[in-house]
Amino acid sequence: GATGARSGACLMPSGPPEAWERMRPLLEAAAATAAGGPCVAYLGPGAAGNYVKMVHNGIEYADMQLIGEAYHLLRAVGGLSNREAARAFTRWARGPLDSYLVEITGHILRTKDEAAPGQKGASSQDLVDLILDSCGSKGTGKWTVQEAA
């Protein structure tokens, strides 16, 4: 994501051990750092790194689905406005539900549709209400569920 592009990524290489040893200096230099070391770990032979990344993404997709369901319940059942729902997400992000996705949801729900100066078409509507309620899939979430089952 954006943080990885700015600070270095967390890397999960796999494949032949001799390839890891050869590539290790380059990957460690490119990786983000935390706790005094590079955020890179050799995960094993074959496609183990791809598998771990798939499961990681599948968990993120599940989190996003839960956030979407919570938002829907707050709006449709609870009758909350986007501003009120944003306050709920912000409050949740300060407790046991603290996560980047919960935190940014609070910010997103406060975002208004504002075009750049001089552009036509801007409104003061909540941006989230102008976004098409659909998404595509590359299969990663489905594969994770299939593996879990």
Side-chain angles (χ1 to χ4, degrees):
T3 302
R6 290 184 192 106
S7 309
C10 295
L11 304 174
M12 300 173 276
S14 58
E18 53 278 0
W20 158 244
E21 288 305 324
R22 186 168 183 182
M23 295 300 297
R24 185 177 187 164
L26 176 67
L27 295 174
E28 287 180 344
T33 57
C39 296
V40 60
Y42 175 68
L43 298 181
N50 290 340
Y51 183 82
V52 169
K53 181 63 175 170
M54 177 197 72
V55 172
H56 167 84
N57 286 350
I59 292 167
E60 277 186 335
Y61 298 152
D63 285 346
M64 289 186 284
Q65 181 66 36
L66 288 168
I67 288 168
E69 297 287 343
Y71 170 73
H72 174 74
L73 290 171
L74 290 172
R75 296 276 290 161
V77 178
L80 275 64
S81 67
N82 285 325
R83 180 178 294 278
E84 292 166 325
R87 281 196 290 265
F89 278 99
T90 299
R91 193 169 51 252
W92 293 340
R94 293 185 185 132
L97 298 178
D98 177 31
S99 75
Y100 174 71
L101 294 174
V102 172
E103 179 185 340
I104 66 168
T105 300
H107 295 293
I108 290 166
L109 294 176
R110 288 183 181 87
T111 303
K112 298 290 185 187
D113 175 33
E114 298 176 3
Q119 288 187 345
K120 294 181 181 180
S123 70
S124 61
Q125 287 181 277
D126 294 333
L127 186 59
V128 71
D129 291 334
L130 301 174
I131 297 171
L132 181 62
D133 186 15
S134 70
C135 67
S137 171
K138 294 180 181 176
T140 307
K142 181 176 92 173
W143 301 332
T144 304
V145 170
Q146 289 171 331
E147 284 295 307

